Amino acid sequence: MAAINTDLSKIGYTYEDIQRMAQVILSNTNLRPSIGIICGTGLGGIADVVENPVTVSYDTVPGFPVSTVKGHSGKFVFGTLSGKPVLLMMGRFHYYEGYPMWKVAMPVRVMKAMGIETLLLTNAAGGLNQSYKTGDIMLLKDHIDLPGLTGECVLIGKNDERQVFGPRFLATNGTYDSDFRGKFLRVATELGHGDLMKEGIYIMIGGPTFSSTAEARVLRMFGADAVGMSTVPESVVGRHSGMRILGVSLITDMVELEDGSQFQVTHEDVLRTANERAQLMQKMFLKFVTLID
């Protein structure tokens, strides 16, 4: 087997690199799931309810990046949820860690090469819509790719239209599956938590700084309901790869929009709210995956 190119600062991963990494990961298990779940900050507890788990650490896959953020463990977990075979990505990559955008979303390419056709994305987000409250759960109906609009689109670079790559010019309308959103809302209602559910627009910023009050007001003026530092690159690449996508944001804090506020959100605040909602998120996903065709 040819070696994977590890000097990727300029050219990115090739189609062949993606295929090799997929095969290395798959060699650890006979399970071949079609559902992939990327677990956001503090939401890795979903792995606790995976049956017959098989773990593959990122650092055992040649050429694969590593996660550096607290709350992201850095491994794949194969197993079953409610009898459905799934692949969990425990620890995503972020632009603010110093990774270029194409590397941030590269795992979605690898997941596609492994046979993943349905992508479920979770994240922790700050609430911009003042009708929201901490602990609410927002289903993404659309997004604003702020880095992409300012020159850091995840699809910049050479395009290869083979199996795990899509067209040069991609339409992103309809990225988030409306049927999935309806089913997830039904699940939440049946579990008695319909009052927590929102549908809204997620905006991605580069980070790692949380938004200033002035910045937050601008983001709200753009029409965003929640803000975070992830998800959009993975959504765009998932769309590019022909996947069906569900995006779920846990509102872990409310972003301050009033001048003069001295409130200071911390990463520990985000983790605390995520941990408080961990069991509920597990229950929702356990029930939701049974509804995926």
Side-chain angles (χ1 to χ4, degrees):
M1 179 183 293
I4 292 175
N5 175 28
T6 56
D7 182 14
L8 304 168
S9 59
K10 296 181 180 180
I11 65 169
Y13 291 94
T14 66
Y15 173 87
E16 289 76 19
D17 290 333
I18 297 295
Q19 295 294 326
R20 292 185 195 110
M21 284 187 274
Q23 291 307 310
V24 168
I25 297 167
L26 287 174
S27 68
N28 291 273
T29 177
N30 292 321
L31 203 64
R32 295 296 182 265
S34 63
I35 300 170
I37 305 174
I38 297 182
C39 300
T41 299
L43 299 175
I46 296 170
D48 296 339
V49 291
V50 170
E51 299 171 340
N52 303 312
V54 174
T55 299
V56 182
S57 296
Y58 297 164
D59 59 11
T60 66
V61 182
F64 206 84
V66 294
S67 182
T68 65
V69 182
K70 184 178 180 181
H72 292 255
S73 59
K75 62 187 178 184
F76 287 107
V77 179
F78 290 86
T80 58
L81 282 178
S82 300
K84 293 260 182 129
V86 297
L87 171 64
L88 271 59
M89 183 177 173
M90 311 293 296
R92 56 159 48 103
F93 311 116
H94 304 82
Y95 184 65
Y96 63 73
E97 294 177 78
Y99 293 123
M101 282 296 184
W102 53 262
K103 186 175 282 192
V104 166
M106 175 276 295
V108 177
R109 300 276 188 217
V110 176
M111 292 168 84
K112 176 67 175 183
M114 288 191 282
I116 300 299
E117 298 292 343
T118 295
L119 184 63
L120 311 180
L121 298 164
T122 71
N123 63 60
L128 294 166
N129 187 324
Q130 295 302 287
S131 71
Y132 291 8
K133 60 184 182 299
T134 298
D136 280 348
I137 297 169
M138 186 187 84
L139 300 177
L140 277 63
K141 63 180 180 182
D142 206 345
H143 68 240
I144 300 170
D145 182 2
L146 193 55
L149 292 174
T150 55
E152 287 290 346
C153 179
V154 68
L155 298 184
I156 285 176
K158 183 179 178 180
N159 192 66
D160 188 327
E161 297 190 7
R162 284 178 286 183
Q163 179 188 353
V164 296
F165 298 82
R168 168 74 285 182
F169 301 103
L170 177 70
T172 55
N173 284 341
T175 293
Y176 303 97
D177 193 286
S178 60
D179 178 60
F180 280 175
R181 294 203 308 273
K183 288 177 177 177
F184 202 95
L185 283 169
R186 189 166 81 240
V187 164
T189 301
E190 290 173 354
L191 290 173
H193 296 286
D195 60 315
L196 298 178
M197 301 305 299
K198 311 291 183 183
E199 287 187 274
I201 297 170
Y202 176 93
I203 190 167
M204 179 192 172
I205 61 174
T209 57
F210 293 111
S211 303
S212 72
T213 301
E215 290 167 342
R217 287 203 300 268
V218 170
L219 300 181
R220 182 60 181 150
M221 286 171 60
F222 286 162
D225 297 294
V227 57
M229 304 172 190
S230 67
T231 302
V232 173
E234 297 148 335
S235 295
V236 171
V237 168
R239 176 74 165 179
H240 196 229
S241 301
M243 296 177 175
R244 294 182 70 188
I245 300 170
L246 175 77
V248 182
S249 291
L250 174 62
I251 306 302
T252 52
D253 62 279
M254 289 302 298
V255 179
E256 186 57 60
L257 300 181
E258 297 297 326
D259 277 332
S261 171
Q262 298 301 308
F263 174 72
Q264 303 283 319
V265 66
T266 68
H267 191 61
E268 286 68 32
D269 296 329
V270 172
L271 290 173
R272 186 181 307 111
T273 303
N275 290 333
E276 289 171 355
R277 282 283 186 256
Q279 289 191 345
L280 177 57
M281 294 289 283
Q282 292 170 20
K283 290 178 182 177
M284 288 181 174
F285 274 89
L286 275 170
K287 194 171 179 66
F288 174 73
V289 297
T290 66
L291 304 179
I292 298 176
D293 298 331

